[in-house]
Each structure stands twice: as structure tokens, then as C-alpha cells.
Amino acid sequence: MFSKILNYDVFNKSKTELMKYITTFKKVHIISGNPEVLYSGLYDDSLFKGCSKDNSLIIPDGIGVVIASKIVKEPVKEKIAGIEVMDEIIKSCEKEGKGIYLLGAKQEIIDECSIKLKIKYNKLKIVGSHNGYFDMNSCEDILQDIRVSKPYAIFVAMGCPRQERFINTYMSTLPASVYMGVGGSFDVIAGKVNRAPRWMIKLGLEWLYRVSKEPWRIKRLGVIPKLLLKVIYNKYIIRKEQNIS
Ligand code: UDP
């Protein structure tokens, strides 16, 4: 069910199987395992530990991770985009009358995002929301709001590592079942940023589209080759030295 990529266990079945698997957890932290998150975790102990908890579930979100899984000869079945998993969870929350909490992004984005979600899923219960600009060491009011509103799922859109840090720090003290860092997804849902056209997503070129729209992202792309080199190094050099096939 998992591919071992640089000591991370990355879910390697289909999105449909993932959705079923999520429901088997009492509490789960879903991590969009894109190259940036996995690479950062190699140099950030707390991020790595957060990815390795018993109830952490890393999904292969990004073509770089799909390629990495092929290099280690444990290919994932498909790329699973975090925003699509978020959408599936929201869809089932609407169907089952479960509440969601939105945490992150700028206030006007979160307001617009809530409106758009209510239009798409008109029975959806958004039990609370808060923008992502607050002091994480002093946010008892937000934590209390989450405890009182008792969501089933919390989506945290504050970029990595901030969103992972929030979840790792507070998950055990909160009542929700599903915790997921969703990066810039609220901006996409609000309509501020578009997702790439379907054909680009299918070809694994979503990163190219994002860079064409937000050129400052080019700096962040360097992490894909860095991650792949690290995977190759681990697979063919370190393992050979240790005589592991
Ligand atoms: N953000 C936030 N608080 C912060 C910094 C960022 O809520 O202190 C939000 C920001 O407004 C944006 C999201 O986090 O909505 C970051 O998205 P980004 O595109 O960096 O994430 P990616 O999709 O690349 O992981």
C-alpha cells in the first residue's frame, strides 16, 4: 500500500482506494507529498517526524514524486492531487452532514472560497473558518473556535511548512478526524488562481502552468531535481555500499 521513498511511506494505490482508507482512521493527517514537502522534511526534523506519525498519510502529489517512486522501483499507481482529495472529502461531508473548518489564506480569499463551496455543495456545513495570518504560538481563540464547532475535517491552507507545523502541534488537542494541509487550494477554489488545463495535469505539467502564471515559483522548482538526485543517490550509491539490492 506504500512506496518507500527516502524513508517516507507514500500511499501507492488509487485515489478511490485512498478515500476508503482515510475512513479507517480515527484521526488522520493527510500530507500532500509534493517534492517541496518531502525535500524540506529531509532537513527539518519536526517536519519529518510529522510525516512519519502512525496516523500520517502521505499522498503522491506531484510528478516529481511519481518519478521518484519509479526510481526506487515501487511505482505509485497514480499521482493524487491534494486539491482533488480535499474535494472528495468535502463531497462526502456534504452527503453525510459532517462539518468542515477552513483555516488559512487571506480573509477575502477564505470568504470567497466559502461562498464558492456553498454554491457547489449547497448542503455543506462550513462550521467555522479563520484566515492564515496569526501567531501560531498564541492562537488559543482559534483552537477554541475549532473545539466548539467540532468539524469532521479541517483544511489548513497556509503553505508548507507552516500548515504542517500547525497540524503537528495541535492535532492531538482538537476533536476533528481529518486534518489536511492544502497549500494554495483556497486561492484556487476562490477563483484567484486557476488550476492547469486537464491535458497539462494529465501530462504531469501542472508545475509548468503554475510557473507560467506565477513566475516567482520558478525558484521552488529546483527542489524537483534535488529530490530526484537524492533518491538516485540513496538507491544506487548508499544501498550498493551497504550491499542491499
Ligand atoms: N498563507 C497563510 N499564512 C501565511 C502564509 C501563507 O495563510 O502565513 C497562505 C497564502 O495566503 C496562500 C497559501 O498560504 O493562500 C500558500 O499557498 P502556496 O501557493 O504557497 O502553497 P502551495 O500550493 O504551493 O503548497
Side-chain angles (χ1 to χ4, degrees), residues 94-112:
E94 187 210 26
K95 210 164 119 197
E96 294 166 26
K98 293 172 172 167
I100 67 162
Y101 196 101
L102 304 175
L103 179 63
K106 296 191 180 125
Q107 192 59 46
E108 68 266 25
I109 293 291
I110 206 163
D111 292 342
E112 191 56 32

Side-chain angles (χ1 to χ4, degrees), residues 29-210:
H29 176 188
I30 304 169
I31 299 157
S32 287
N34 55 50
E36 206 173 357
V37 173
L38 301 192
Y39 193 77
S40 306
L42 298 177
Y43 300 94
D44 179 335
D45 235 22
S46 66
L47 186 57
F48 182 80
K49 277 193 194 130
C51 290
S52 316
K53 302 184 299 279
D54 284 347
N55 55 5
S56 296
L57 179 51
I58 306 176
I59 58 170
D61 183 357
I63 190 70
V65 178
V66 174
I67 296 171
S69 74
K70 288 182 182 158
I71 294 172
V72 298
K73 301 205 163 59
E74 296 181 36
V76 298
K77 193 158 189 180
E78 59 189 9
K79 174 189 158 221
I80 304 179
I83 192 167
E84 291 172 17
V85 174
M86 176 186 176
D87 193 59
E88 290 292 336
I89 295 170
I90 290 178
K91 203 188 288 174
S92 71
C93 282
E94 187 210 26
K95 210 164 119 197
E96 294 166 26
K98 293 172 172 167
I100 67 162
Y101 196 101
L102 304 175
L103 179 63
K106 296 191 180 125
Q107 192 59 46
E108 68 266 25
I109 293 291
I110 206 163
D111 292 342
E112 191 56 32
C113 177
S114 304
I115 292 171
K116 292 272 163 61
L117 284 175
K118 290 292 277 180
I119 293 171
K120 189 168 175 194
Y121 300 108
N122 53 63
K123 291 203 192 90
L124 178 67
K125 287 191 212 152
I126 302 176
V127 294
S129 67
H130 197 285
N131 66 64
Y133 294 84
F134 58 89
D135 177 0
M136 232 196 293
N137 299 314
S138 161
C139 56
E140 195 44 47
D141 51 335
I142 299 174
L143 298 172
Q144 195 50 25
D145 190 35
I146 296 173
R147 286 187 195 112
V148 169
S149 54
K150 294 193 179 72
Y152 167 77
I154 304 179
F155 298 104
V156 188
M158 304 195 291
C160 175
R162 186 171 155 81
Q163 61 195 23
E164 266 61 48
R165 214 152 260 155
F166 179 87
I167 296 173
N168 291 331
T169 310
Y170 296 118
M171 179 173 172
S172 64
T173 71
L174 295 173
S177 296
V178 174
Y179 300 77
M180 181 172 186
V182 292
S185 298
F186 294 178
D187 299 81
V188 175
I189 296 168
K192 189 188 155 229
V193 181
N194 288 324
R195 269 198 93 190
R198 213 164 253 284
W199 66 269
M200 284 186 104
I201 294 175
K202 272 202 172 138
L203 288 177
L205 295 175
E206 194 160 14
W207 57 273
L208 184 62
Y209 180 84
R210 294 188 82 180

